[in-house]
């Protein structure tokens, strides 16, 4: 069954209407699997991590394509409504719009593509990327499209890496008039050293002004505890890593900035960047031109599941999907429905050309 534009919009609206905080994706997985069954997908189901999936195209096709999006969202209730050609709601941009694009485009191309196309809605992308880590242990597809927002006329070629950690400093409790530095003062000094350490990273020549090549720190939160005997101050920090900066080296060097601190590091991901001159990228460029647009090539300062799977699979890859990524995680999150339908047509052409 080839979904009409109205059905495509209704499917997306139902996905956005269904809450799916990170770790609680069952409801939207049911919506996605139900739609895929209705649209004629094969092997519809969920894997051991909870990812939802379905396939179209010849089962024995020599070419394989995975369209990998994520079903979960960050917190924040945004009333779901369609108004003036816009769909408002949490996840409309990040990333149910791109994921719905993948499902509808695959369904429309099912009868004409010679490739085996599998659409996957992953779990926990907004957290530990449990769904993508599960997939990374499976055989690699021949080609990969990450369903993430970049704009219907844009092809995303890479993402910065990420390393998050908590640093805690504990000292004996003391009177506020005592000369010894307090735990918050020591933590503030550590944050200054972290920023100075990041500033010492020198981007490649000619790339100094580009954020993608800068080592960027963000202080996400602070905490302080005092039990009367000890006081502890904690920093929760996010580092965005440019190409060439290894998360393991980052962890080692950050730990040396404050030997008295206790560090707790989350799994880090290196930056990824795919090649521009590949058949997959060329297919998207043609699809965008056929839709009346001019292709734009982007790298993004955030991270995605591409950072998890691409270093393992090492296949042709891009990220593609409708939506303004500046609206990610904001209370203004909304998607232009005409852009969504344009992206569906572009991706349909790409799949058909395979």
């Amino acid at each position: 069954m080839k979904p009409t534009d109205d059905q495509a919009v209704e499917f997306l609206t139902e996905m956005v209407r269904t809450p799916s905080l990170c770790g609680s994706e069952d409801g939207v997985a049911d919506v996605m699997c139900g739609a895929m069954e209705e649209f004629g997908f094969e092997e519809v189901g969920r894997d051991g991590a909870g990812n939802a999936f379905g396939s179209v195209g010849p089962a024995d096709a020599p070419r394989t394509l995975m369209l990998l999006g994520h079903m979960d969202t960050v917190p924040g209730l945004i009333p779901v409504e369609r108004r003036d050609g816009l769909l408002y709601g949490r996840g409309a941009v990040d990333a149910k719009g791109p994921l719905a694009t993948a499902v509808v485009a695959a369904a429309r191309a099912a009868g004409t593509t010679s490739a085996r196309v599998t659409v996957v809605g992953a779990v926990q992308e907004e957290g530990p990327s449990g769904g993508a880590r599960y997939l990374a242990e499976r055989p690699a597809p021949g080609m990969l499209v990450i369903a993430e927002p970049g704009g219907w006329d844009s092809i995303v070629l890479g993402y910065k890496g990420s390393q998050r950690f908590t640093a805690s400093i504990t000292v004996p409790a003391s009177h506020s008039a005592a000369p010894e530095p307090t735990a918050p003062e020591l933590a503030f000094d550590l944050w200054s050293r972290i920023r100075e350490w990041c500033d010492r990273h020198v981007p490649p020549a000619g790339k100094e002004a580009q954020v993608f090549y800068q080592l960027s720190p963000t202080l996400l939160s602070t905490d302080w505890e005092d039990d009367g005997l000890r006081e502890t101050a904690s920093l929760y920090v996010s580092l965005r890593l440019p190409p060439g900066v290894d998360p393991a080296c980052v962890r080692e060097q950050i730990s040396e900035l404050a030997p008295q601190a206790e560090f707790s590091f989350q799994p880090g991901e290196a930056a990824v960047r795919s090649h521009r001159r590949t058949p997959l990228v060329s297919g998207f460029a043609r699809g965008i031109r056929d839709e009346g647009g001019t292709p734009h090539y982007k790298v993004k300062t955030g991270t995605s599941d591409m950072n998890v799977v691409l270093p393992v699979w090492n296949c042709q890859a891009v990220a593609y999907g409708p939506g303004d990524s500046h609206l990610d995680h904001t209370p203004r999150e909304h998607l232009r429905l005409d852009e969504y339908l344009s992206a569906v047509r572009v991706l349909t052409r790409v799949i058909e050309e395979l």
Side-chain angles (χ1 to χ4, degrees):
M1 169 185 173
K2 296 184 183 296
T4 65
D5 284 357
D6 287 344
Q7 289 171 321
V9 170
E10 288 301 324
F11 167 52
L12 170 59
T13 304
E14 185 62 23
M15 288 186 71
V16 174
R17 188 179 289 122
T18 305
S20 56
L21 291 176
C22 182
S24 301
E25 297 93 344
D26 287 350
V28 77
D30 289 343
V31 173
M32 181 176 167
C33 288
M36 287 192 292
E37 289 176 345
E38 180 183 354
F39 297 157
F41 280 68
E42 302 170 348
E43 299 179 342
V44 176
R46 301 186 69 185
D47 62 23
N51 301 322
F53 62 86
S55 299
V56 300
D60 58 350
R63 295 178 181 175
T64 57
L65 169 68
M66 179 179 289
L67 309 176
L68 173 58
H70 67 90
M71 302 183 291
D72 59 319
T73 71
V74 297
L77 178 61
I78 301 175
V80 178
E81 61 175 329
R82 298 206 304 251
R83 186 176 72 247
D84 299 328
L86 306 176
L87 174 63
Y88 291 82
R90 177 59 80 217
V93 174
D94 187 19
K96 293 178 180 180
L99 181 55
T101 298
V103 172
V104 174
R108 289 184 176 181
T112 53
T113 183
S114 61
R116 185 64 169 178
V117 181
T118 299
V119 181
V120 180
V123 298
Q124 300 180 350
E125 192 272 351
E126 298 290 0
S129 290
R133 296 184 196 283
Y134 180 89
L135 292 171
E137 298 177 358
R138 272 63 192 168
M143 297 181 180
L144 172 68
V145 175
I146 299 292
E148 286 278 352
W152 78 269
D153 57 354
S154 294
I155 305 164
V156 178
L157 299 175
Y159 289 85
K160 290 183 79 168
S162 175
Q163 179 64 69
R164 292 191 176 194
F165 62 90
T166 299
S168 300
I169 297 178
T170 301
V171 298
S174 62
H175 193 279
S176 59
E180 295 81 14
T182 64
E185 288 174 325
L186 293 172
F188 181 80
D189 178 66
L190 173 57
W191 170 240
S192 297
R193 276 179 278 159
I194 290 171
R195 294 185 62 180
E196 292 170 357
W197 177 81
C198 290
D199 288 341
R200 290 198 295 271
H201 171 76
V202 180
K207 307 289 188 181
E208 295 86 355
Q210 298 183 33
V211 176
F212 187 73
Y213 292 94
Q214 297 172 4
L215 180 52
S216 308
T218 301
L219 181 58
L220 299 175
S221 66
T222 61
D223 195 15
W224 177 77
E225 296 180 356
D226 184 353
D227 64 4
L229 300 175
R230 296 172 299 275
E231 63 170 355
T232 300
S234 300
L235 308 173
Y236 183 36
V237 178
S238 170
L239 301 179
R240 295 294 183 179
L241 311 181
V245 176
D246 179 61
C249 294
V250 167
R251 293 191 288 268
E252 179 181 351
Q253 294 180 36
I254 287 291
S255 297
E256 293 173 353
L257 295 178
Q260 80 274 32
E262 179 180 344
F263 290 89
S264 176
F265 292 96
Q266 297 180 8
E269 308 298 341
V272 291
R273 181 158 187 172
S274 58
H275 298 290
R276 176 168 167 174
R277 291 180 174 84
T278 66
L280 184 60
V281 173
S282 297
F284 272 100
R286 285 192 297 273
I288 291 168
R289 292 190 184 99
D290 288 346
E291 187 63 17
T294 300
H296 300 278
Y297 302 90
K298 294 181 177 180
V299 289
K300 298 182 73 172
T301 56
T303 57
S304 75
D305 280 341
M306 181 187 279
N307 297 77
V308 176
V309 298
L310 187 56
V312 179
W313 288 344
N314 194 30
C315 59
Q316 292 185 47
V318 301
Y320 180 77
D324 180 356
S325 56
H326 291 98
L327 298 173
D328 292 4
H329 302 190
T330 72
R332 301 175 291 109
E333 187 171 7
H334 62 271
L335 179 66
R336 283 175 41 203
L337 293 174
D338 61 346
E339 179 181 357
Y340 164 56
L341 295 174
S342 290
V344 167
R345 290 189 288 271
V346 170
L347 185 54
T348 301
R349 290 186 180 96
V350 171
I351 298 171
E352 289 174 338
E353 283 193 5
L354 291 178

